[in-house]
Amino acid sequence: MKPMSLLPQVLTVLDQALQTQGRALQFNAQTPLLGAVPELDSMTAVSLIGALESHFGIAFDDGDLQADAFADVGSLCALVERALG
Amino acid sequence: MRGTGEPGYLHTARGSLFTLRHPPERPCQGVILHLPAFTEELNTCRRVSAQAARHFASQGWWVWQFDPTGCGDSAGDMAQASWQDWVQDAQAVLQHALREPDLPEQAPICLWGIRAGALLCADVLPAAQALAGQRPVHLVWWQPQLHGKQILQQWLRVGSAQAWLGQTQGTGADAAGALARGESVCVGGYTLSASLAADLNAARSVTPPPSHECARLVWLDVQASAEPSPGNARLLDTWQSQGWQAQWEPVNGPLFWQAPGREDAPALAESSLRLLGHPSA
């Protein structure tokens, strides 16, 4: 799957895991996450990762879960794409 | 912070257990023992569980809450606590709760578990059934986590997430490695011993004990979708096959275990009582 076609699904999971009340559905690939979305903290980040794994049926490699994966929506999509193989 | 409820201490072989006792405000329907969530979730769930305890008491239930050994206001150090300590803590509180003089003989017992507390419920269940005698023992689970391994992984990930977000150094892999070497780790302010981690890795609710005739399993998940996840659906079937009246419902509400919220979640308590077959007011 190309990263861009993951975008709507990733945004839906992001909205639910962080409970942004629909705000995340308006994001695009360039929207910054880390340090920019107040709902993103260590507990919701774990919930987000779990929700992405559950939704896409994937398991992230802990080594891939670094700060740069959370830089923006695009990097999060790329993380999912890598795990999808 | 604690809301209403009568605080007390119960003395056990493991030290003093902090308890909160909520007497029923109507003719007694039964006893509810709360099995709490794990580490930071014990705190994030306090508001919602306190509100629910008050609601249950207002509807006629004795409600008992406690802090497990090494947690909250109970004695002991989490670094020395074991899963079996926590199972025994729950048994001690239940035994104490059943001594209330005005508790009707046939009144049911409910083990009410939130998140990892549900796994604790499953392990406490056989002893609870033995203590209960002729009373039915029901289960009420909110957003249950029933695999100890997953509970441990999520908790280690919180530590990693602090590193992902640039708040600390180190990774979950470091913590997992340390535990594998028999060392304790400190993650998110909580110290987890290698032996508690091993207990968690082994703890998994797979074979439900057979139920008494009318025993109910009430399972609520906070989610938008109308069906349980495939994994949860399988678990519900397993419990059903052992004679439990398993009832699952989705609930609309805040993901209350993720952050200490200011939102209320009355639907959880109301649905719990409805699905327990509690007569409406």
Side-chain angles (χ1 to χ4, degrees):
Chain A
M1 254 193 242
K2 289 196 174 127
M4 291 321 291
S5 63
L6 294 176
L7 183 60
Q9 295 179 68
V10 169
L11 292 181
T12 301
V13 174
L14 190 59
D15 178 54
Q16 284 167 6
L18 268 50
Q19 294 217 295
T20 62
Q21 319 290 340
R23 220 169 74 240
L25 302 174
Q26 310 306 316
F27 293 173
N28 59 45
Q30 285 74 46
T31 308
L33 293 176
L34 188 52
V37 175
E39 294 90 342
L40 185 62
D41 62 21
S42 57
M43 288 183 79
T44 58
V46 171
S47 180
L48 171 61
I49 289 303
L52 287 169
E53 286 179 321
S54 184
H55 178 90
F56 289 104
I58 53 182
F60 290 116
D61 196 3
D62 269 6
D64 283 342
L65 297 172
Q66 304 291 343
D68 50 14
F70 297 88
D72 55 39
V73 172
S75 58
L76 195 62
C77 290
L79 178 74
V80 172
E81 202 214 1
R82 270 201 299 285
L84 281 164
Chain B
M1 182 88 151
R2 290 255 185 207
T4 57
E6 300 162 8
Y9 283 92
L10 183 64
H11 298 285
T12 72
R14 294 159 300 288
S16 290
L17 276 183
F18 178 81
T19 61
L20 262 183
R21 168 186 182 264
H22 305 260
E25 292 166 26
R26 290 185 188 202
C28 184
Q29 302 294 321
V31 175
I32 296 179
L33 174 66
H34 181 220
L35 287 306
F38 185 61
T39 59
E40 186 54 25
E41 290 189 0
L42 177 62
N43 292 322
T44 54
C45 293
R46 277 205 200 281
R47 180 192 162 84
V48 160
S49 56
Q51 286 175 342
R54 283 198 295 278
H55 179 75
F56 293 146
S58 76
Q59 297 301 304
W61 294 83
W62 268 108
V63 185
W64 284 80
Q65 295 178 277
F66 70 99
D67 288 340
T69 295
C71 305
D73 292 329
S74 287
D77 190 353
M78 190 170 149
Q80 264 84 53
S82 70
W83 188 254
Q84 194 52 29
D85 282 340
W86 294 348
V87 171
Q88 288 177 333
D89 289 343
Q91 278 171 226
V93 179
L94 182 60
Q95 200 155 13
H96 187 72
L98 291 174
R99 289 190 200 118
E100 293 291 346
D102 59 352
L103 191 62
E105 263 184 35
Q106 301 296 315
I109 295 170
C110 294
L111 301 181
W112 164 40
I114 298 185
R115 300 286 287 156
L119 181 58
L120 202 49
C121 276
D123 282 355
V124 171
L125 187 56
Q129 288 174 326
L131 285 169
Q134 293 308 306
R135 302 171 189 283
V137 180
H138 304 300
L139 294 171
V140 175
W141 290 345
W142 294 1
Q143 208 69 29
Q145 291 177 295
L146 295 165
H147 296 86
K149 200 165 172 163
Q150 184 197 80
I151 292 167
L152 177 61
Q153 187 204 41
Q154 291 230 305
W155 185 67
L156 291 179
R157 273 185 168 176
V158 171
S160 300
Q162 292 174 339
W164 308 335
L165 302 178
Q167 289 160 12
T168 60
Q169 315 249 299
T171 68
D174 297 345
L179 289 169
R181 289 191 297 275
E183 296 162 19
S184 296
V185 295
C186 183
V187 171
Y190 295 87
T191 303
L192 178 73
S193 64
S195 68
L196 181 57
D199 289 345
L200 281 168
N201 268 325
R204 186 188 159 98
S205 167
V206 263
T207 313
S211 72
H212 295 168
E213 248 172 54
C214 52
R216 298 187 190 219
L217 164 58
V218 171
W219 178 331
L220 302 176
D221 282 329
V222 177
Q223 62 178 62
S225 115
E227 298 298 324
S229 69
N232 287 344
R234 278 197 298 276
L235 281 167
L236 285 156
D237 283 343
T238 306
W239 284 80
Q240 192 96 1
S241 73
Q242 289 293 313
W244 290 80
Q245 290 183 47
Q247 296 164 101
W248 178 90
E249 270 190 14
V251 173
N252 246 326
L255 305 182
F256 59 90
W257 61 94
Q258 282 192 172
R262 284 177 295 279
E263 287 178 71
D264 294 346
L268 288 161
E270 289 162 5
S271 298
S272 299
L273 290 183
R274 173 173 47 81
L275 293 172
L276 278 171
H278 182 90
S280 40

